[in-house]
Amino acid sequence: MTPGLNWYRANIPPESWVGPPIELPPVQAPTMGMWSSGDFALTEDQMTLSAKHCANLFRYERLEGPGHWMQLEAPDRVNALLLDFLPV
Protein backbone atom coordinates (compact mmCIF):
# COMPACT_ATOMS: atom_id res chain seq x y z
CA MET A 1 0.00 0.00 0.00
CA THR A 2 2.90 2.36 0.68
CA PRO A 3 3.97 2.64 -2.99
CA GLY A 4 0.43 3.57 -4.00
CA LEU A 5 0.18 6.26 -1.33
CA ASN A 6 3.63 7.56 -2.23
CA TRP A 7 2.42 8.22 -5.77
CA TYR A 8 -0.23 10.60 -4.38
CA ARG A 9 2.25 12.15 -1.97
CA ALA A 10 4.67 12.86 -4.81
CA ASN A 11 2.18 14.07 -7.41
CA ILE A 12 -0.65 15.85 -5.63
CA PRO A 13 0.22 18.95 -3.59
CA PRO A 14 -1.30 18.78 -0.08
CA GLU A 15 -2.88 22.23 -0.41
CA SER A 16 -5.08 20.92 -3.21
CA TRP A 17 -7.01 18.85 -0.64
CA VAL A 18 -7.97 21.81 1.58
CA GLY A 19 -8.73 24.58 -0.91
CA PRO A 20 -11.69 24.98 -3.23
CA PRO A 21 -11.72 22.53 -6.15
CA ILE A 22 -9.95 23.59 -9.32
CA GLU A 23 -12.39 24.75 -11.99
CA LEU A 24 -11.75 22.74 -15.12
CA PRO A 25 -13.40 23.20 -18.50
CA PRO A 26 -16.05 20.62 -19.45
CA VAL A 27 -14.99 17.55 -21.38
CA GLN A 28 -15.78 18.13 -25.05
CA ALA A 29 -15.34 14.56 -26.34
CA PRO A 30 -18.19 12.05 -26.25
CA THR A 31 -17.79 10.18 -22.97
CA MET A 32 -18.97 6.85 -21.61
CA GLY A 33 -19.00 6.12 -17.90
CA MET A 34 -19.21 2.50 -16.74
CA TRP A 35 -20.02 1.52 -13.18
CA SER A 36 -20.33 -1.92 -11.67
CA SER A 37 -22.59 -2.86 -8.79
CA GLY A 38 -19.72 -4.56 -6.96
CA ASP A 39 -17.43 -1.50 -7.01
CA PHE A 40 -16.07 -0.80 -3.54
CA ALA A 41 -14.24 2.42 -4.46
CA LEU A 42 -16.74 4.41 -6.54
CA THR A 43 -20.42 5.04 -5.94
CA GLU A 44 -23.01 5.05 -8.69
CA ASP A 45 -23.82 8.68 -7.91
CA GLN A 46 -20.19 9.65 -8.42
CA MET A 47 -20.28 8.08 -11.85
CA THR A 48 -23.64 9.43 -12.97
CA LEU A 49 -22.89 12.93 -11.67
CA SER A 50 -19.83 12.97 -13.93
CA ALA A 51 -22.25 13.86 -16.74
CA LYS A 52 -22.39 17.45 -15.48
CA HIS A 53 -18.72 17.80 -16.45
CA CYS A 54 -19.34 16.77 -20.06
CA ALA A 55 -20.43 19.32 -22.65
CA ASN A 56 -21.57 16.75 -25.19
CA LEU A 57 -22.71 13.12 -25.13
CA PHE A 58 -22.43 11.28 -21.81
CA ARG A 59 -23.46 7.66 -21.97
CA TYR A 60 -23.83 5.75 -18.72
CA GLU A 61 -23.65 1.98 -18.47
CA ARG A 62 -24.24 -0.07 -15.30
CA LEU A 63 -22.85 -3.60 -15.04
CA GLU A 64 -24.38 -5.95 -12.49
CA GLY A 65 -21.96 -8.12 -10.58
CA PRO A 66 -18.33 -7.28 -11.24
CA GLY A 67 -16.23 -5.28 -8.81
CA HIS A 68 -13.93 -2.29 -9.20
CA TRP A 69 -11.74 -4.06 -11.78
CA MET A 70 -14.61 -4.81 -14.14
CA GLN A 71 -12.35 -4.94 -17.21
CA LEU A 72 -10.67 -7.99 -15.63
CA GLU A 73 -13.76 -9.55 -14.06
CA ALA A 74 -16.14 -9.08 -17.01
CA PRO A 75 -13.95 -8.40 -20.07
CA ASP A 76 -16.52 -9.59 -22.62
CA ARG A 77 -19.22 -7.23 -21.32
CA VAL A 78 -16.82 -4.27 -20.99
CA ASN A 79 -15.34 -4.82 -24.45
CA ALA A 80 -18.79 -5.12 -26.04
CA LEU A 81 -19.81 -1.78 -24.54
CA LEU A 82 -16.57 -0.13 -25.66
CA LEU A 83 -16.90 -1.47 -29.19
CA ASP A 84 -20.49 -0.24 -29.35
CA PHE A 85 -19.48 3.22 -28.11
CA LEU A 86 -16.25 3.85 -30.02
CA PRO A 87 -16.43 4.87 -33.66
CA VAL A 88 -15.23 2.38 -36.25
Side-chain angles (χ1 to χ4, degrees), residues 3-14 16-17:
L5 291 173
N6 284 342
W7 185 91
Y8 288 98
R9 291 180 183 129
N11 292 292
I12 301 174
S16 70
W17 296 102

Side-chain angles (χ1 to χ4, degrees), residues 14-60:
E15 61 273 8
S16 70
W17 296 102
V18 295
I22 297 171
E23 289 294 324
L24 299 171
V27 175
Q28 298 298 316
T31 305
M32 179 170 62
M34 279 191 258
W35 182 81
S36 56
S37 61
D39 195 329
F40 60 86
L42 180 68
T43 68
E44 189 169 18
D45 279 347
Q46 287 173 303
M47 178 56 70
T48 57
L49 292 173
S50 297
K52 69 182 180 181
H53 301 288
C54 299
N56 294 304
L57 170 72
F58 180 83
R59 175 175 159 183
Y60 170 68

Side-chain angles (χ1 to χ4, degrees), residues 2 6 22 50 62 81-82 85:
T2 299
N6 284 342
I22 297 171
S50 297
R62 176 189 169 112
L81 290 168
L82 288 172
F85 180 73

Side-chain angles (χ1 to χ4, degrees), residues 32 34 63 70-72 74-86:
M32 179 170 62
M34 279 191 258
L63 278 74
M70 68 181 101
Q71 70 277 19
L72 299 176
D76 293 338
R77 288 192 280 167
V78 170
N79 288 338
L81 290 168
L82 288 172
L83 289 171
D84 183 61
F85 180 73
L86 297 171

